[in-house]
Amino acid sequence: MVPNYVLKQKTTNRRYNTKRKYSNKISNVILFSLLIGATFRFASKCENEVVSKHWIFDLNFGLLVEAAIPDATIQLYGRDAVAISSLEVTSGNFGPSLPFGKPSRNSPESMPKPLILPPAHSTTLCSDDVKDDTNERLSFGGSIVVVARGECSFVTKVLNAQKLGAGGVIVYNNLAAGYSLEYNVSENKTEIVWPIPQTDFECANGRAMIPSDMFSFDPSPYDSIYNDKLLSGVNSKHDVNLCATRNEDGISSFMTSCDSQRCFLTGVNISNSLEACCAWDISISMGASTTMDITIPSVFLTMEQGDYILQILNSTDGDKISVIMYDKFYPTVNASSFILWIFGTLLTWFASWLSTKSYKKTFRKLEQSADEGRLFPSNFDRANIPNEQSNEQIQSLSTETSIDHTSINEDDDYSNSDHSLPDSDEDHNTSSESFSEESRPTGGAAQNTIENEAESPFQNNIRMGQVNVSSSTNRQNHNAFELKTIHAVAFLISASATLFILFYFKLYNIVRVMYGIGCSTAVAQIIFRPIFKLFARKIKFLSNLESQICAKVTFCGVNEIQYLDILSVICGFGLGATWIWYGFAINNANEKAFYWITQNIMGVSICILFLTVIRLNSIKVATALLIAAFIYDIFFVFITPYVFEGDSIMVVVATSGGPPDDPQFCEKYPDDSECQSGDPLPMLLTIPRIGDFRGGMSLLGLGDIVLPGLLLSFAARFDAAKRIVRFVMVQARNTRAAARGIDLSREDQYDNNSEKEKTFLTWIFSGYLTPLTVAYAVGLGFANMAVYLMNRGQPALLYIVPCCLLTMVYLGWRRKELKELWVGPKEIRLADKITRAIEIRGFRVAGSLQQSHNSRNDNQSEPETEASIDA
């Protein structure tokens, strides 16, 4: 129900890890989790002079906002074009793009370009006297200029290099870039602007007090040539790093806690000693604050990488160094998106198909009863049958008793006819009257007669037996909840209210806990109970798990609790509790295999349980529900940004409050309270992206499965119900014909030949489930394509709802069943009543019809025990 998309992570080699706090508010509400979960999409790009936030997304949900990761490569070559090394760097967000992937050997981009330093009169490329000089253009023509950061903007440096005729620019970070001069008007003097705490340095990672007379500040504000060697590295030319040797916690502590091995002077002067603190040295993306025409590419290097480049250039063979620059390769369309598309489609089909489990069990028992001659008695309709057969009688009987979907749909509503199955014991005497010999019509009324006769055994079963609901299948069947039109309105209101509550009160951790607890029930029922049941049947000493009853209760349609149920619940909630703890206690948990695999298991389980318990019995309700979700998606994804000052409510909720305001800060301080947002809510299926250096996950929201899945489940149950009703009618026809002595072998042979002539595709698409599954796959595929083509998130139901609904409506109209589907097919109601009758234990079906014939004269019938249908 929510937009589909996946965001690729931007991070340095030190991952953006968030460590979340525990929430003590827990509630076990499964459907609430589904309402807020589904899928969300978001795309945004913000630029400034120093850092850009990139939310690069793919399919289907999720948002992980992190600082820039190296997305480009520079390959260094020495003498005779021999490769020396390669560095992973970040490309600028202005100017032309670098070649995508390493250039092929014969392409123009594969030719290395000379690596040179800026001209002596403008070592930082910030001087205004850099002009479009012909001589300088010749010396710099096509070369890659290596220039230090600082004194002016990135764009100014690149534009000046462009004037010199350079083919590209490499900007490296350095300590001097952290200092600048500012004129103080009130005191009429120029002051040094020192590096900024947390932005440039962190004293907790390393701090030292160094005598101020050991540094030089001429030229002002900072003498990098003299000072850098005193504040960089562990061993320098002077065999000293003052920041390390004078560190408060010792040199070993500095080496382990200060990754950059460099320090900034903070400007704090205590007793003629300057404070020096560990400098941050992370990758950033160079942003642009101007739209000036830039025609050459640029990349950014860290301090460590810059020092390495300068060492090579200052070496003996520095004039022979050349370089090629290119963007790192990543798949444009990731294979994980395709895998998730296939997986989502199969899960929707499987969950819908599994919702017909009770119907399939009913059909198998009907077949078994028919094979054993217990479905209808052998003397069925023996009376009032002409002794002689004629071709006209055979043809008439075949026509009268043949059942197909057209004749069923054109009949009166079964629930309003006098031959419908009774819902209670009190209705039996009235309904069984219609099956007596005196009330049986002949001739033209044979059709209704056979339908009555086909149902009569089950009516007697309901009257004489008792329902057994101890099995899990029966519990699910009796606890099924049928949605009405009012529920579609309730969904729209409750889901909208939920989003607003989360948007304003930010109860995201509570939602995670609720979802984990709610899914534990589904995992216990769908995963662990079948596994333990199989073990109990295969392993002898475990057989008591299924046979012995732990307690007798009366709630939710359950009469008894087995040890099997207790063990399943313990395991289900144990897995759920572990998943919840893992998500709160482990940094960056959603990238860990245990976390996302468990999350997928929980998601699959709750989808299957949802479609087993929640049902639609007409496309009128399906249309109302899906259109409500359709409007809900569009409004909260596309319209709310215009209402709430650019904030999409669904995006903010999907990302647990939206991305952090400063991802570069969160790269340095992932445990800060301001960096706790951005993780997606867990109501989704997820698969790590394959072969993508940026990382990230492909995700599909559960709402995009269960909401269309309700329509597919309805289609599957309609197909199964028609099969049950048709089988019963055909058996009634055959039994009636045999009782009259009419030979229908030719008709049966014709039917068999017709079935054999059907192709596999014709048989597959004869129902509704398969066409709707294909329609769902097409709709989800369109959503995926739209994400890639439009480069922004798309509400999946924007595509899935029209595909599925229109397919269902067209098939119903084509098969002349649309009216029946709209109000609710009578086949489903009949199949439900037959299924309930099949659940009656200990009644011999073969004798039921004869007992109904004699019910007026003998109100008490003793059930025979030779053969029975066990619930």
Side-chain angles (χ1 to χ4, degrees):
M1 93 183 197
V2 190
N4 268 336
Y5 76 122
V6 152
L7 303 171
K8 302 162 191 169
Q9 304 169 8
K10 303 288 269 178
T11 169
T12 63
N13 53 357
R14 297 183 302 277
R15 308 290 298 177
Y16 164 33
N17 300 323
T18 57
K19 190 172 184 179
R20 289 147 287 196
K21 299 179 180 180
Y22 288 91
S23 172
N24 58 0
K25 298 182 180 179
I26 299 175
S27 177
N28 183 9
V29 184
I30 299 177
L31 296 184
F32 175 79
S33 301
L34 288 173
L35 287 177
I36 63 176
T39 36
F40 308 81
R41 273 176 209 75
F42 178 49
S44 174
K45 184 176 181 180
C46 306
E47 295 183 350
N48 57 48
E49 187 66 17
V50 177
V51 61
S52 292
K53 305 174 188 176
H54 293 274
W55 326 138
I56 309 171
F57 53 88
D58 182 16
L59 167 77
N60 284 320
F61 166 102
L63 180 60
L64 292 174
V65 180
E66 307 187 0
I69 61 170
D71 58 356
T73 300
I74 59 173
Q75 179 70 54
L76 298 173
Y77 293 90
R79 189 183 299 273
D80 299 327
V82 177
I84 300 176
S85 61
S86 62
L87 300 175
E88 294 186 349
V89 299
T90 55
S91 58
N93 292 326
F94 50 84
S97 300
L98 294 170
F100 183 64
K102 188 173 183 178
S104 59
R105 179 171 299 180
N106 297 325
S107 64
E109 294 85 359
S110 65
M111 297 298 298
K113 297 178 180 180
L115 200 63
I116 62 174
L117 295 171
H121 62 83
S122 182
T123 57
T124 59
L125 291 180
C126 291
S127 302
D128 295 333
D129 60 351
V130 176
K131 299 180 180 178
D132 190 359
D133 184 83
T134 303
N135 293 329
E136 285 191 334
R137 286 184 63 86
L138 291 175
S139 61
F140 279 84
S143 300
I144 305 297
V145 181
V146 180
V147 61
R149 177 189 181 188
E151 296 189 19
C152 61
S153 68
F154 296 129
V155 173
T156 300
K157 295 177 183 290
V158 176
L159 284 174
N160 284 333
Q162 184 174 303
K163 291 179 182 179
L164 295 173
V169 177
I170 295 177
V171 181
Y172 64 89
N173 202 359
N174 64 346
L175 292 176
Y179 307 87
S180 61
L181 293 174
E182 182 180 65
Y183 181 73
N184 190 326
V185 178
S186 61
E187 298 184 8
N188 192 26
K189 67 177 183 179
T190 301
E191 296 179 343
I192 297 176
V193 178
W194 300 90
I196 303 172
Q198 294 186 329
T199 300
D200 295 320
F201 63 86
E202 176 52 59
C203 291
N205 295 338
R207 179 179 181 271
M209 299 301 297
I210 306 172
S212 57
D213 57 4
M214 300 186 69
F215 299 104
S216 169
F217 295 93
D218 185 22
S220 186
Y222 178 83
D223 186 355
S224 61
I225 296 177
Y226 182 81
N227 295 338
D228 281 1
K229 60 187 177 183
L230 301 178
L231 298 172
S232 301
V234 177
N235 294 300
S236 64
K237 185 180 295 184
H238 297 278
D239 194 30
V240 62
N241 178 347
L242 296 179
C243 190
T245 58
R246 295 174 179 264
N247 184 55
E248 292 178 339
D249 299 324
I251 189 171
S252 60
S253 175
F254 178 84
M255 293 176 62
T256 56
S257 60
C258 185
D259 293 338
S260 67
Q261 303 293 296
R262 293 168 174 80
C263 286
F264 277 118
L265 298 175
T266 66
V268 176
N269 193 327
I270 302 176
S271 301
N272 294 323
S273 293
L274 286 174
E275 181 186 51
C277 292
C278 177
W280 289 113
D281 186 22
I282 65 174
S283 299
I284 64 172
S285 295
M286 298 185 295
S289 58
T290 178
T291 58
M292 298 184 67
D293 186 23
I294 298 176
T295 60
I296 60 175
S298 59
V299 297
F300 182 86
L301 277 64
T302 63
M303 297 183 196
E304 182 180 2
Q305 293 171 333
D307 285 351
Y308 176 73
I309 291 286
L310 293 177
Q311 289 175 10
I312 294 178
L313 289 175
N314 293 328
S315 65
T316 305
D317 295 331
D319 58 337
K320 303 297 183 181
I321 302 300
S322 57
V323 65
I324 60 172
M325 303 189 301
Y326 57 90
D327 280 334
K328 296 171 69 174
F329 174 81
Y330 60 88
T332 305
V333 179
N334 200 275
S336 62
S337 299
F338 177 77
I339 294 173
L340 197 61
W341 172 67
I342 295 293
F343 183 69
T345 301
L346 291 178
L347 174 59
T348 307
W349 169 82
F350 178 72
S352 302
W353 175 83
L354 207 60
S355 66
T356 66
K357 183 177 180 179
S358 60
Y359 284 177
K360 296 181 184 301
K361 186 175 181 180
T362 296
F363 188 81
R364 287 195 300 269
K365 291 187 175 181
L366 286 174
E367 284 187 316
Q368 180 181 359
S369 298
D371 292 341
E372 296 175 0
R374 297 185 287 117
L375 188 60
F376 295 102
S378 57
N379 61 347
F380 181 58
D381 202 19
R382 178 75 65 183
N384 301 323
I385 301 289
N387 293 327
E388 296 181 1
Q389 299 181 23
S390 65
N391 292 333
E392 291 79 5
Q393 290 174 334
I394 296 175
Q395 182 64 33
S396 175
L397 185 58
S398 298
T399 303
E400 291 172 357
T401 58
S402 63
I403 303 298
D404 57 26
H405 66 269
T406 303
S407 63
I408 291 176
N409 288 331
E410 292 175 352
D411 288 336
D412 294 333
D413 196 323
Y414 285 90
S415 62
N416 296 328
S417 61
D418 60 354
H419 56 271
S420 63
L421 284 168
D423 291 321
S424 63
D425 292 347
E426 288 77 12
D427 297 334
H428 170 72
N429 292 335
T430 302
S431 61
S432 62
E433 191 75 23
S434 62
F435 291 91
S436 64
E437 292 181 308
E438 295 178 4
S439 63
R440 182 182 295 112
T442 57
Q447 175 70 32
N448 288 337
T449 301
I450 293 177
E451 292 176 3
N452 294 344
E453 293 164 342
E455 296 174 16
S456 60
F458 306 108
Q459 292 175 343
N460 284 275
N461 282 344
I462 291 176
R463 177 173 65 88
M464 307 225 25
Q466 294 184 357
V467 178
N468 172 25
V469 294
S470 61
S471 69
S472 61
T473 302
N474 293 338
R475 284 201 298 267
Q476 292 179 7
N477 186 51
H478 285 280
N479 291 332
F481 179 76
E482 181 181 348
L483 293 180
K484 305 294 184 182
T485 306
I486 188 62
H487 295 119
V489 179
F491 161 80
L492 189 61
I493 296 174
S494 61
S496 301
T498 299
L499 279 182
F500 279 115
I501 291 173
L502 291 176
F503 181 73
Y504 286 109
F505 296 100
K506 306 185 186 305
L507 307 176
Y508 308 116
N509 286 339
I510 296 177
V511 172
R512 289 188 174 90
V513 174
M514 290 168 56
Y515 179 76
I517 298 299
C519 285
S520 299
T521 304
V523 172
Q525 180 73 11
I526 302 300
I527 303 295
F528 286 111
R529 196 178 195 283
I531 292 176
F532 291 142
K533 189 174 182 179
L534 178 63
F535 287 166
R537 292 181 177 179
K538 297 294 184 181
I539 304 175
K540 187 175 181 180
F541 71 90
L542 295 178
S543 58
N544 292 336
L545 287 176
E546 185 179 10
S547 59
Q548 291 189 359
I549 298 175
C550 176
K552 290 185 176 293
V553 294
T554 305
F555 68 94
C556 298
V558 179
N559 290 337
E560 58 190 34
I561 298 178
Q562 300 171 341
Y563 286 103
L564 187 68
D565 299 318
I566 300 296
L567 184 59
S568 301
V569 169
I570 291 175
C571 292
F573 278 84
L575 181 64
T578 304
W579 179 84
I580 293 172
W581 168 83
Y582 197 92
F584 284 106
I586 305 300
N587 289 334
N588 220 22
N590 52 5
E591 293 183 359
K592 310 299 182 182
F594 168 80
Y595 189 84
W596 66 262
I597 290 175
T598 303
Q599 181 173 303
N600 286 347
I601 293 174
M602 295 164 63
V604 168
S605 300
I606 205 167
C607 285
I608 294 175
L609 185 61
F610 186 93
L611 294 180
T612 301
V613 175
I614 308 298
R615 295 180 177 179
L616 298 173
N617 279 340
S618 71
I619 62 172
K620 177 175 69 175
V621 179
T623 301
L625 178 64
L626 291 179
I627 289 180
F630 180 85
I631 296 173
Y632 167 86
D633 255 8
I634 293 176
F635 176 78
F636 282 103
V637 174
F638 294 130
I639 298 179
T640 53
Y642 298 100
V643 180
F644 295 91
E645 300 178 352
D647 291 330
S648 170
I649 289 183
M650 187 170 288
V651 167
V652 172
V653 172
T655 58
S656 302
D661 294 331
D662 188 352
Q664 189 178 9
F665 173 81
C666 292
E667 172 72 13
K668 305 166 187 173
Y669 304 97
D671 295 334
D672 189 86
S673 60
E674 297 296 327
C675 302
Q676 300 306 305
S677 60
D679 289 338
L681 293 178
M683 287 68 73
L684 45 83
L685 303 177
T686 176
I687 297 177
R689 296 178 60 81
I690 300 172
D692 196 329
F693 71 92
R694 299 166 298 178
M697 315 286 283
S698 291
L699 306 103
L700 176 64
L702 302 186
D704 291 333
I705 295 175
V706 297
L707 291 179
L710 289 171
L711 182 62
L712 271 68
S713 174
F714 167 72
R717 290 188 300 110
F718 181 50
D719 291 342
K722 288 201 299 184
R723 188 184 182 200
I724 289 175
V725 173
R726 185 180 297 113
F727 180 83
V728 171
M729 296 305 180
V730 169
Q731 291 299 317
R733 181 200 67 174
N734 293 342
T735 304
R736 181 183 176 89
R740 295 182 179 181
I742 300 176
D743 183 12
L744 294 180
S745 58
R746 288 178 296 174
E747 297 292 330
D748 293 338
Q749 184 67 31
Y750 174 79
D751 293 339
N752 293 334
N753 292 337
S754 299
E755 290 293 328
K756 292 178 180 179
E757 291 175 359
K758 291 183 179 180
T759 64
F760 177 76
L761 284 178
T762 303
W763 176 76
I764 283 291
F765 287 94
S766 60
Y768 285 87
L769 177 59
T770 303
L772 282 182
T773 303
V774 173
Y776 175 85
V778 170
L780 186 58
F782 281 155
N784 298 350
M785 292 172 58
V787 169
Y788 286 109
L789 294 176
M790 301 181 185
N791 199 33
R792 64 169 300 173
Q794 302 292 315
L797 294 187
L798 180 65
Y799 306 90
I800 295 176
V801 168
C803 287
C804 291
L805 271 183
L806 291 178
T807 300
M808 188 75 175
V809 170
Y810 171 76
L811 291 176
W813 170 79
R814 182 84 175 179
R815 298 169 183 177
K816 296 181 173 57
E817 297 175 335
L818 182 57
K819 181 179 179 180
E820 191 77 15
L821 292 171
W822 182 259
V823 299
K826 66 173 72 73
E827 287 87 347
I828 289 182
R829 294 192 293 276
L830 267 177
D832 286 340
K833 293 179 180 180
I834 293 174
T835 299
R836 287 198 298 271
I838 288 293
E839 291 174 356
I840 305 303
R841 171 175 288 182
F843 184 76
R844 185 170 183 260
V845 177
S848 63
L849 186 63
Q850 187 61 42
Q851 292 160 0
S852 69
H853 288 172
N854 301 329
S855 60
R856 288 185 305 165
N857 300 324
D858 186 6
N859 291 328
Q860 296 182 347
S861 301
E862 295 294 332
E864 301 180 33
T865 59
E866 294 179 8
S868 63
I869 296 180
D870 193 16

